[in-house]
Amino acid sequence: DLNVLRVGESMSNENNGWIRIEDRLPPVGEDVLIFVPTLNIGDRKQFDIAWLDDGKCNDGFCFVGSTYGFDLPQVTHWRPIPHPPAIK
C-alpha cells in the first residue's frame, strides 16, 4: 500500500516542505521537485523536476525527469513544485 499525497492535502512544514519517499509518494504523473543525493555536480546536490511513473521501470515505480530517470532508491525526498511568484 503506497502512501500518496492527495489533492488538497497539506505538505509538511518540517524539513522545509521536503517529504521522505519512505513517508509518502507523490501522485503518479504529477510533476514534483526531487532530491537525489547520490548525484553530485560540483559542490551541489542534484535536484530535478520529475514525475512518478508506474510503468516505465523494470521493478515498478520510478521517477522520470527531463534529463534522467531515477529508481526509487536513488530519490530520497520530494516536494510539490511551488506556485510561481505573483507578478504585479
Coordinates of all heavy atoms in Angstrom, one line a residue:
D1 N 0.8 -1.2 0.0 CA 0.0 0.0 0.0 C 0.9 1.2 0.0 O 1.7 1.4 0.9 CB -0.9 0.0 1.2 CG -1.9 1.1 1.3 OD1 -2.2 1.6 0.2 OD2 -2.2 1.5 2.4
L2 N 0.8 2.1 -1.0 CA 1.6 3.3 -1.1 C 0.9 4.4 -0.5 O -0.3 4.6 -0.6 CB 1.8 3.6 -2.6 CG 2.6 2.6 -3.4 CD1 2.6 3.0 -4.9 CD2 4.0 2.4 -2.9
N3 N 1.7 5.2 0.3 CA 1.2 6.4 0.9 C 1.4 7.6 -0.2 O 2.5 7.9 -0.5 CB 2.0 6.8 2.1 CG 1.8 5.8 3.2 OD1 0.6 5.3 3.4 ND2 2.8 5.4 3.9
V4 N 0.3 8.1 -0.7 CA 0.3 9.1 -1.7 C -0.3 10.4 -1.2 O -1.3 10.4 -0.6 CB -0.4 8.6 -3.0 CG1 -0.5 9.6 -4.1 CG2 0.2 7.3 -3.5
L5 N 0.3 11.5 -1.5 CA -0.2 12.8 -1.2 C -1.5 13.0 -2.0 O -1.4 12.9 -3.2 CB 0.8 13.9 -1.5 CG 0.4 15.3 -1.1 CD1 0.4 15.5 0.4 CD2 1.4 16.3 -1.7
R6 N -2.5 13.3 -1.4 CA -3.8 13.5 -2.1 C -4.0 15.0 -2.4 O -3.5 15.9 -1.7 CB -5.0 13.1 -1.2 CG -4.9 11.6 -0.8 CD -5.2 10.7 -1.9 NE -5.0 9.3 -1.5 CZ -4.6 8.3 -2.2 NH1 -4.4 8.6 -3.5 NH2 -4.5 7.1 -1.8
V7 N -4.8 15.3 -3.4 CA -5.0 16.7 -3.8 C -5.7 17.4 -2.6 O -6.6 16.9 -1.9 CB -6.0 16.7 -5.0 CG1 -6.4 18.2 -5.3 CG2 -5.3 16.1 -6.2
G8 N -5.2 18.6 -2.3 CA -5.7 19.4 -1.2 C -5.1 19.0 0.2 O -5.3 19.7 1.1
E9 N -4.3 18.0 0.2 CA -3.6 17.6 1.5 C -2.4 18.5 1.7 O -1.6 18.8 0.7 CB -3.2 16.1 1.4 CG -2.6 15.6 2.7 CD -2.3 14.1 2.6 OE1 -2.6 13.5 1.6 OE2 -1.7 13.6 3.6
S10 N -2.2 19.0 2.9 CA -1.1 19.9 3.1 C 0.2 19.2 3.2 O 0.3 18.0 3.6 CB -1.3 20.7 4.4 OG -1.3 19.8 5.5
M11 N 1.3 19.8 2.7 CA 2.6 19.2 2.8 C 3.2 19.6 4.1 O 2.8 20.6 4.7 CB 3.5 19.6 1.6 CG 4.0 21.0 1.6 SD 5.1 21.2 0.2 CE 5.4 22.9 0.4
S12 N 4.2 18.8 4.5 CA 4.8 19.0 5.8 C 5.6 20.3 5.8 O 6.3 20.7 4.9 CB 5.8 17.8 6.0 OG 6.6 18.1 7.1
N13 N 5.5 21.0 7.0 CA 6.3 22.2 7.2 C 7.7 21.8 7.7 O 8.6 22.6 7.7 CB 5.6 23.2 8.1 CG 4.4 23.8 7.5 OD1 4.5 24.1 6.3 ND2 3.4 24.2 8.2
E14 N 7.8 20.6 8.2 CA 9.1 20.1 8.6 C 10.0 19.9 7.4 O 9.6 19.6 6.3 CB 8.9 18.8 9.4 CG 8.1 18.9 10.6 CD 7.9 17.5 11.3 OE1 8.8 16.7 11.1 OE2 6.9 17.4 12.0
N15 N 11.3 20.1 7.7 CA 12.3 19.8 6.6 C 12.1 20.7 5.4 O 12.3 20.3 4.3 CB 12.4 18.3 6.3 CG 13.7 17.9 5.8 OD1 14.7 18.7 5.9 ND2 13.8 16.8 5.2
N16 N 11.6 21.9 5.6 CA 11.4 22.9 4.5 C 10.4 22.4 3.5 O 10.5 22.7 2.3 CB 12.7 23.3 3.9 CG 13.5 24.1 4.8 OD1 13.0 25.0 5.6 ND2 14.8 23.8 4.8
G17 N 9.5 21.5 3.9 CA 8.5 21.0 2.9 C 8.9 19.8 2.2 O 8.1 19.2 1.4
W18 N 10.1 19.3 2.4 CA 10.6 18.1 1.7 C 9.9 16.9 2.4 O 9.9 16.8 3.6 CB 12.1 17.9 1.8 CG 12.8 18.9 0.9 CD1 13.3 20.1 1.2 CD2 13.0 18.8 -0.5 NE1 13.8 20.7 0.1 CE2 13.6 19.9 -1.0 CE3 12.6 17.8 -1.5 CZ2 14.0 20.1 -2.3 CZ3 13.0 17.9 -2.8 CH2 13.6 19.1 -3.2
I19 N 9.5 15.9 1.6 CA 8.8 14.7 2.1 C 9.6 13.5 1.8 O 10.1 13.4 0.6 CB 7.4 14.6 1.4 CG1 6.6 15.8 1.7 CG2 6.7 13.3 1.9 CD1 5.3 16.0 0.8
R20 N 9.9 12.7 2.8 CA 10.7 11.5 2.6 C 9.9 10.5 1.7 O 8.7 10.3 1.9 CB 11.1 10.9 3.9 CG 12.0 11.7 4.7 CD 12.4 11.0 6.0 NE 11.4 10.1 6.5 CZ 11.7 9.0 7.3 NH1 12.9 8.8 7.6 NH2 10.8 8.2 7.7
I21 N 10.6 9.8 0.8 CA 10.0 8.8 0.0 C 9.4 7.7 0.9 O 8.3 7.2 0.6 CB 11.0 8.2 -1.0 CG1 11.5 9.2 -2.0 CG2 10.5 6.9 -1.7 CD1 10.4 9.7 -2.9
E22 N 10.0 7.4 2.0 CA 9.6 6.3 2.9 C 8.2 6.7 3.5 O 7.4 5.9 3.9 CB 10.6 6.0 4.0 CG 11.8 5.4 3.5 CD 12.9 6.5 3.1 OE1 12.7 7.7 3.4 OE2 13.8 6.1 2.4
D23 N 8.0 8.0 3.7 CA 6.8 8.5 4.3 C 5.6 8.6 3.3 O 4.5 8.3 3.7 CB 7.0 9.9 4.9 CG 8.0 9.9 6.1 OD1 8.2 8.8 6.6 OD2 8.5 10.9 6.4
R24 N 5.8 9.0 2.1 CA 4.7 9.2 1.2 C 5.3 9.4 -0.2 O 6.3 10.1 -0.4 CB 4.0 10.5 1.6 CG 2.8 10.8 0.8 CD 2.1 12.0 1.3 NE 2.2 12.1 2.8 CZ 2.0 13.2 3.5 NH1 1.6 14.3 2.8 NH2 2.2 13.3 4.7
L25 N 4.6 8.9 -1.2 CA 4.9 9.1 -2.6 C 4.0 10.2 -3.2 O 2.8 10.3 -2.8 CB 4.8 7.8 -3.4 CG 5.8 6.7 -3.1 CD1 5.4 5.4 -3.9 CD2 7.2 7.1 -3.4
P26 N 4.5 10.9 -4.2 CA 3.6 11.9 -4.8 C 2.6 11.1 -5.8 O 2.8 10.0 -6.1 CB 4.6 12.7 -5.7 CG 5.7 11.8 -6.0 CD 5.8 10.9 -4.8
P27 N 1.6 11.8 -6.2 CA 0.6 11.2 -7.2 C 1.4 10.8 -8.5 O 2.2 11.5 -8.9 CB -0.4 12.3 -7.4 CG -0.3 13.2 -6.3 CD 1.1 13.2 -5.8
V28 N 1.0 9.7 -9.0 CA 1.6 9.3 -10.3 C 1.3 10.3 -11.4 O 0.2 10.8 -11.5 CB 1.0 7.9 -10.7 CG1 1.4 7.5 -12.1 CG2 1.4 6.8 -9.7
G29 N 2.3 10.6 -12.1 CA 2.2 11.6 -13.2 C 2.2 13.0 -12.9 O 2.3 13.9 -13.8
E30 N 2.3 13.4 -11.7 CA 2.3 14.8 -11.3 C 3.8 15.3 -11.1 O 4.6 14.7 -10.4 CB 1.6 15.1 -10.0 CG 1.5 16.5 -9.6 CD 0.7 16.7 -8.3 OE1 -0.4 16.1 -8.3 OE2 1.1 17.4 -7.4
D31 N 4.1 16.4 -11.8 CA 5.5 17.0 -11.7 C 5.8 17.4 -10.2 O 4.9 18.0 -9.6 CB 5.7 18.2 -12.6 CG 5.8 17.8 -14.0 OD1 6.2 16.7 -14.3 OD2 5.7 18.7 -14.9
V32 N 6.9 17.0 -9.7 CA 7.4 17.3 -8.4 C 8.9 17.6 -8.5 O 9.6 17.2 -9.4 CB 7.1 16.2 -7.3 CG1 5.6 16.0 -7.1 CG2 7.8 14.9 -7.7
L33 N 9.4 18.3 -7.5 CA 10.8 18.5 -7.3 C 11.4 17.3 -6.5 O 10.8 17.0 -5.5 CB 11.1 19.8 -6.6 CG 12.5 20.3 -6.5 CD1 13.1 20.6 -7.9 CD2 12.5 21.6 -5.7
I34 N 12.4 16.7 -7.0 CA 13.0 15.6 -6.3 C 14.5 15.9 -5.9 O 15.1 16.7 -6.5 CB 13.0 14.3 -7.2 CG1 13.8 14.4 -8.5 CG2 11.6 13.8 -7.4 CD1 14.0 13.1 -9.2
F35 N 14.9 15.2 -4.9 CA 16.3 15.3 -4.4 C 17.0 14.0 -4.5 O 16.5 13.0 -4.0 CB 16.3 15.8 -2.9 CG 17.6 15.9 -2.3 CD1 18.5 16.9 -2.8 CD2 18.0 15.1 -1.3 CE1 19.8 17.0 -2.2 CE2 19.3 15.2 -0.7 CZ 20.2 16.2 -1.2
V36 N 18.1 14.0 -5.2 CA 18.9 12.7 -5.4 C 20.3 13.0 -4.9 O 21.2 13.5 -5.6 CB 18.9 12.4 -7.0 CG1 19.6 11.0 -7.2 CG2 17.5 12.4 -7.6
P37 N 20.6 12.6 -3.6 CA 21.8 12.9 -3.0 C 23.0 12.2 -3.6 O 24.2 12.7 -3.5 CB 21.6 12.5 -1.6 CG 20.6 11.5 -1.6 CD 19.7 11.9 -2.7
T38 N 22.8 11.1 -4.3 CA 24.0 10.4 -4.9 C 24.5 11.0 -6.1 O 25.6 10.6 -6.6 CB 23.6 8.9 -5.2 OG1 22.4 8.9 -6.1 CG2 23.2 8.2 -3.9
L39 N 23.8 11.9 -6.7 CA 24.3 12.6 -8.0 C 24.8 13.9 -7.6 O 24.1 14.8 -7.2 CB 23.2 12.7 -9.0 CG 22.7 11.4 -9.5 CD1 21.6 11.6 -10.5 CD2 23.8 10.6 -10.2
N40 N 26.1 14.1 -7.7 CA 26.7 15.4 -7.4 C 27.2 16.1 -8.6 O 27.8 15.5 -9.5 CB 27.9 15.2 -6.4 CG 27.5 14.7 -5.1 OD1 26.5 15.2 -4.5 ND2 28.2 13.7 -4.5
I41 N 27.0 17.4 -8.7 CA 27.5 18.2 -9.7 C 28.3 19.3 -9.0 O 27.8 20.2 -8.5 CB 26.4 18.9 -10.6 CG1 25.6 17.8 -11.2 CG2 27.0 19.8 -11.6 CD1 24.3 18.3 -12.0
G42 N 29.6 19.1 -9.0 CA 30.5 20.1 -8.3 C 30.2 20.0 -6.8 O 30.1 18.9 -6.2
D43 N 29.9 21.1 -6.1 CA 29.6 21.1 -4.7 C 28.1 21.0 -4.5 O 27.6 21.0 -3.3 CB 30.1 22.4 -4.1 CG 31.6 22.5 -4.1 OD1 32.2 21.4 -4.1 OD2 32.2 23.6 -4.1
R44 N 27.3 21.0 -5.5 CA 25.8 21.0 -5.4 C 25.3 19.6 -5.4 O 25.8 18.7 -6.0 CB 25.2 21.7 -6.5 CG 25.6 23.2 -6.5 CD 24.9 23.9 -7.7 NE 24.7 23.0 -8.8 CZ 24.5 23.4 -10.0 NH1 24.5 24.7 -10.3 NH2 24.3 22.6 -11.0
K45 N 24.2 19.3 -4.7 CA 23.5 18.1 -4.8 C 22.5 18.2 -5.9 O 22.1 19.3 -6.4 CB 22.7 17.8 -3.5 CG 23.6 17.6 -2.3 CD 24.4 16.4 -2.4 CE 25.2 16.2 -1.1 NZ 26.2 15.1 -1.2
Q46 N 22.1 17.1 -6.4 CA 21.2 17.1 -7.6 C 19.7 17.2 -7.3 O 19.2 16.4 -6.5 CB 21.4 15.7 -8.4 CG 20.6 15.6 -9.6 CD 21.0 16.6 -10.7 OE1 22.1 16.8 -10.9 NE2 20.0 17.2 -11.3
F47 N 19.1 18.2 -7.9 CA 17.7 18.4 -7.9 C 17.2 18.2 -9.3 O 17.9 18.5 -10.2 CB 17.3 19.8 -7.4 CG 17.8 20.1 -6.0 CD1 19.0 20.6 -5.7 CD2 16.9 19.8 -4.9 CE1 19.4 20.9 -4.4 CE2 17.3 20.1 -3.6 CZ 18.6 20.6 -3.4
D48 N 15.9 17.8 -9.4 CA 15.3 17.7 -10.7 C 13.8 17.8 -10.6 O 13.3 17.5 -9.5 CB 15.7 16.3 -11.4 CG 15.6 16.3 -12.9 OD1 15.1 17.4 -13.5 OD2 15.9 15.3 -13.5
I49 N 13.2 18.2 -11.7 CA 11.7 18.1 -11.8 C 11.4 16.8 -12.5 O 12.0 16.5 -13.5 CB 11.2 19.3 -12.5 CG1 11.4 20.6 -11.7 CG2 9.7 19.1 -12.8 CD1 11.0 21.9 -12.4
A50 N 10.6 16.0 -11.8 CA 10.3 14.7 -12.4 C 8.9 14.3 -12.0 O 8.2 15.0 -11.2 CB 11.3 13.6 -11.9
W51 N 8.4 13.2 -12.5 CA 7.1 12.7 -12.1 C 7.2 11.2 -11.8 O 8.1 10.5 -12.4 CB 6.0 12.9 -13.2 CG 6.3 12.2 -14.5 CD1 5.9 11.0 -14.9 CD2 7.1 12.7 -15.6 NE1 6.4 10.7 -16.1 CE2 7.1 11.7 -16.6 CE3 7.8 13.9 -15.8 CZ2 7.8 11.9 -17.8 CZ3 8.5 14.0 -17.0 CH2 8.5 13.0 -18.0
L52 N 6.4 10.7 -10.9 CA 6.4 9.3 -10.6 C 5.7 8.5 -11.7 O 4.6 8.9 -12.1 CB 5.7 9.1 -9.2 CG 5.7 7.7 -8.6 CD1 7.1 7.3 -8.3 CD2 4.8 7.7 -7.4
D53 N 6.3 7.5 -12.1 CA 5.7 6.6 -13.2 C 5.6 5.2 -12.7 O 6.6 4.7 -12.1 CB 6.6 6.7 -14.4 CG 6.0 6.2 -15.7 OD1 5.6 5.0 -15.6 OD2 5.8 7.0 -16.6
D54 N 4.6 4.6 -13.0 CA 4.4 3.2 -12.5 C 4.5 2.2 -13.7 O 4.2 1.0 -13.5 CB 3.1 3.0 -11.8 CG 1.9 3.2 -12.7 OD1 2.0 3.7 -13.8 OD2 0.8 3.0 -12.2
G55 N 5.0 2.6 -14.9 CA 5.1 1.6 -15.9 C 6.3 1.7 -16.7 O 6.5 0.9 -17.7
K56 N 7.2 2.6 -16.4 CA 8.4 2.8 -17.2 C 9.7 2.0 -16.7 O 10.7 2.0 -17.3 CB 8.8 4.2 -17.3 CG 7.7 5.1 -18.0 CD 8.2 5.4 -19.4 CE 7.2 6.4 -20.0 NZ 6.8 6.1 -21.3
C57 N 9.5 1.4 -15.5 CA 10.7 0.8 -14.9 C 10.6 -0.7 -14.8 O 9.5 -1.2 -14.8 CB 10.9 1.4 -13.5 SG 11.1 3.2 -13.5
N58 N 11.7 -1.3 -14.7 CA 11.8 -2.8 -14.6 C 11.1 -3.3 -13.4 O 10.5 -4.3 -13.3 CB 13.2 -3.3 -14.7 CG 13.8 -3.0 -16.1 OD1 13.1 -2.9 -17.1 ND2 15.1 -2.8 -16.1
D59 N 11.3 -2.6 -12.3 CA 10.9 -3.1 -11.0 C 9.7 -2.3 -10.4 O 9.6 -2.2 -9.2 CB 12.0 -3.2 -10.0 CG 12.7 -1.8 -9.8 OD1 12.4 -0.9 -10.5 OD2 13.6 -1.7 -8.9
G60 N 8.9 -1.6 -11.2 CA 7.8 -0.9 -10.7 C 8.0 0.6 -10.8 O 8.3 1.1 -11.9
F61 N 7.8 1.3 -9.7 CA 7.8 2.8 -9.7 C 9.2 3.3 -9.9 O 10.2 2.8 -9.5 CB 7.3 3.3 -8.4 CG 5.8 3.1 -8.2 CD1 5.2 2.0 -7.6 CD2 4.9 4.1 -8.7 CE1 3.9 1.9 -7.5 CE2 3.6 4.0 -8.6 CZ 3.0 2.9 -8.0
C62 N 9.2 4.4 -10.6 CA 10.5 5.2 -10.7 C 10.1 6.7 -11.0 O 8.9 7.0 -11.2 CB 11.4 4.7 -11.8 SG 10.7 5.0 -13.5
F63 N 11.0 7.6 -10.9 CA 10.8 9.0 -11.3 C 11.4 9.2 -12.7 O 12.5 8.8 -12.9 CB 11.5 9.9 -10.3 CG 10.7 10.0 -9.0 CD1 10.9 9.2 -7.9 CD2 9.7 11.0 -8.9 CE1 10.2 9.3 -6.8 CE2 9.0 11.1 -7.7 CZ 9.2 10.3 -6.7
V64 N 10.7 9.9 -13.5 CA 11.1 10.2 -14.8 C 11.3 11.7 -14.9 O 10.3 12.5 -14.7 CB 10.1 9.7 -15.9 CG1 10.6 10.1 -17.3 CG2 9.9 8.2 -15.8
G65 N 12.5 12.2 -15.2 CA 12.7 13.6 -15.3 C 13.0 14.0 -16.8 O 13.0 13.2 -17.7
S66 N 13.3 15.3 -16.9 CA 13.6 15.8 -18.3 C 14.9 15.3 -18.8 O 15.0 15.2 -20.0 CB 13.6 17.4 -18.2 OG 14.6 17.8 -17.3
T67 N 15.8 15.0 -18.0 CA 17.1 14.5 -18.4 C 17.4 13.1 -18.0 O 18.0 12.3 -18.8 CB 18.2 15.4 -17.8 OG1 17.9 16.8 -18.0 CG2 19.6 15.1 -18.4
Y68 N 17.0 12.6 -16.8 CA 17.3 11.3 -16.3 C 16.1 10.6 -15.8 O 15.0 11.2 -15.6 CB 18.3 11.4 -15.1 CG 19.5 12.2 -15.4 CD1 19.7 13.5 -14.9 CD2 20.6 11.6 -16.1 CE1 20.9 14.1 -15.2 CE2 21.8 12.2 -16.3 CZ 21.9 13.5 -15.9 OH 23.1 14.2 -16.1
G69 N 16.2 9.3 -15.7 CA 15.2 8.5 -15.0 C 15.9 8.0 -13.7 O 17.1 7.7 -13.6
F70 N 15.1 8.0 -12.6 CA 15.7 7.6 -11.3 C 14.8 6.5 -10.7 O 13.6 6.6 -10.6 CB 15.7 8.8 -10.3 CG 16.4 10.0 -10.8 CD1 15.7 11.0 -11.4 CD2 17.8 10.1 -10.7 CE1 16.4 12.2 -11.8 CE2 18.5 11.2 -11.1 CZ 17.8 12.2 -11.7
D71 N 15.5 5.4 -10.2 CA 14.8 4.4 -9.5 C 14.5 4.9 -8.1 O 15.2 5.8 -7.6 CB 15.7 3.1 -9.3 CG 15.9 2.4 -10.7 OD1 14.9 2.4 -11.5 OD2 16.9 1.8 -10.9
L72 N 13.5 4.4 -7.5 CA 13.0 4.9 -6.2 C 14.2 4.9 -5.2 O 14.3 5.9 -4.4 CB 11.9 4.1 -5.6 CG 10.5 4.5 -6.1 CD1 9.4 3.6 -5.4 CD2 10.2 5.9 -5.9
P73 N 15.1 3.9 -5.1 CA 16.1 4.0 -4.1 C 17.1 5.2 -4.2 O 17.7 5.7 -3.3 CB 16.9 2.7 -4.2 CG 15.9 1.8 -4.8 CD 15.1 2.6 -5.7
Q74 N 17.2 5.8 -5.4 CA 18.0 6.9 -5.7 C 17.4 8.2 -5.1 O 18.2 9.1 -4.8 CB 18.3 7.1 -7.2 CG 19.1 6.0 -7.8 CD 19.2 6.2 -9.3 OE1 18.3 5.9 -10.0 NE2 20.3 6.7 -9.7
V75 N 16.1 8.3 -5.1 CA 15.4 9.5 -4.7 C 15.1 9.4 -3.2 O 14.5 8.4 -2.8 CB 14.2 9.8 -5.5 CG1 13.4 11.0 -5.1 CG2 14.5 9.8 -7.0
T76 N 15.6 10.4 -2.4 CA 15.3 10.3 -1.0 C 14.1 11.2 -0.6 O 13.4 10.9 0.4 CB 16.5 10.7 -0.2 OG1 16.9 12.0 -0.5 CG2 17.7 9.7 -0.5
H77 N 13.9 12.3 -1.3 CA 12.9 13.3 -0.9 C 12.2 13.9 -2.1 O 12.8 13.9 -3.2 CB 13.5 14.4 -0.1 CG 14.0 14.0 1.3 ND1 15.2 13.3 1.4 CD2 13.5 14.1 2.5 CE1 15.4 13.1 2.7 NE2 14.4 13.6 3.4
W78 N 11.1 14.4 -1.9 CA 10.4 15.1 -3.0 C 9.5 16.2 -2.3 O 9.3 16.2 -1.1 CB 9.5 14.2 -3.8 CG 8.3 13.6 -3.0 CD1 8.3 12.6 -2.2 CD2 7.0 14.2 -3.0 NE1 7.1 12.4 -1.6 CE2 6.2 13.4 -2.1 CE3 6.4 15.3 -3.6 CZ2 4.9 13.6 -1.8 CZ3 5.0 15.5 -3.3 CH2 4.3 14.7 -2.5
R79 N 9.1 17.2 -3.2 CA 8.1 18.2 -2.7 C 7.4 18.7 -3.9 O 7.9 18.7 -5.0 CB 8.9 19.3 -2.0 CG 9.8 20.1 -2.8 CD 10.5 21.2 -2.1 NE 9.5 22.2 -1.7 CZ 9.6 23.1 -0.7 NH1 10.7 23.1 0.0 NH2 8.7 23.9 -0.4
P80 N 6.1 19.2 -3.6 CA 5.4 19.8 -4.7 C 6.2 21.0 -5.3 O 6.9 21.7 -4.5 CB 4.1 20.2 -4.1 CG 3.9 19.3 -2.9 CD 5.4 19.1 -2.4
I81 N 6.0 21.3 -6.5 CA 6.6 22.4 -7.1 C 5.8 23.6 -6.6 O 4.6 23.7 -6.7 CB 6.6 22.3 -8.7 CG1 7.4 21.1 -9.1 CG2 7.0 23.6 -9.3 CD1 7.3 20.8 -10.6
P82 N 6.5 24.7 -6.2 CA 5.8 25.8 -5.6 C 5.1 26.6 -6.8 O 5.5 26.5 -7.9 CB 6.9 26.7 -5.0 CG 8.2 26.2 -5.6 CD 8.0 24.8 -6.0
H83 N 4.1 27.3 -6.4 CA 3.4 28.2 -7.3 C 4.4 29.3 -7.8 O 5.2 29.7 -7.0 CB 2.2 28.8 -6.7 CG 1.1 27.8 -6.3 ND1 0.4 27.2 -7.3 CD2 0.7 27.3 -5.1 CE1 -0.5 26.3 -6.7 NE2 -0.3 26.4 -5.4
P84 N 4.2 29.8 -9.0 CA 5.1 30.9 -9.4 C 4.8 32.2 -8.6 O 3.7 32.3 -8.0 CB 4.7 31.1 -10.9 CG 3.4 30.5 -11.0 CD 3.2 29.4 -10.0
P85 N 5.8 33.1 -8.6 CA 5.5 34.3 -7.8 C 4.5 35.2 -8.5 O 4.3 35.1 -9.7 CB 6.9 35.0 -7.9 CG 7.6 34.4 -9.1 CD 7.1 33.0 -9.3
A86 N 3.8 36.0 -7.7 CA 2.9 36.9 -8.3 C 3.6 38.1 -8.9 O 4.6 38.6 -8.4 CB 2.0 37.5 -7.1
I87 N 3.2 38.4 -10.1 CA 3.8 39.5 -10.9 C 2.8 40.6 -11.0 O 1.7 40.5 -11.4 CB 4.2 39.0 -12.3 CG1 5.2 37.8 -12.2 CG2 4.8 40.2 -13.1 CD1 5.5 37.2 -13.5
K88 N 3.3 41.8 -10.5 CA 2.4 43.0 -10.5 C 2.8 43.9 -11.6 O 3.8 44.0 -12.1 CB 2.5 43.7 -9.1 CG 2.0 42.8 -8.0 CD 2.1 43.5 -6.7 CE 1.6 42.6 -5.6 NZ 1.6 43.2 -4.3

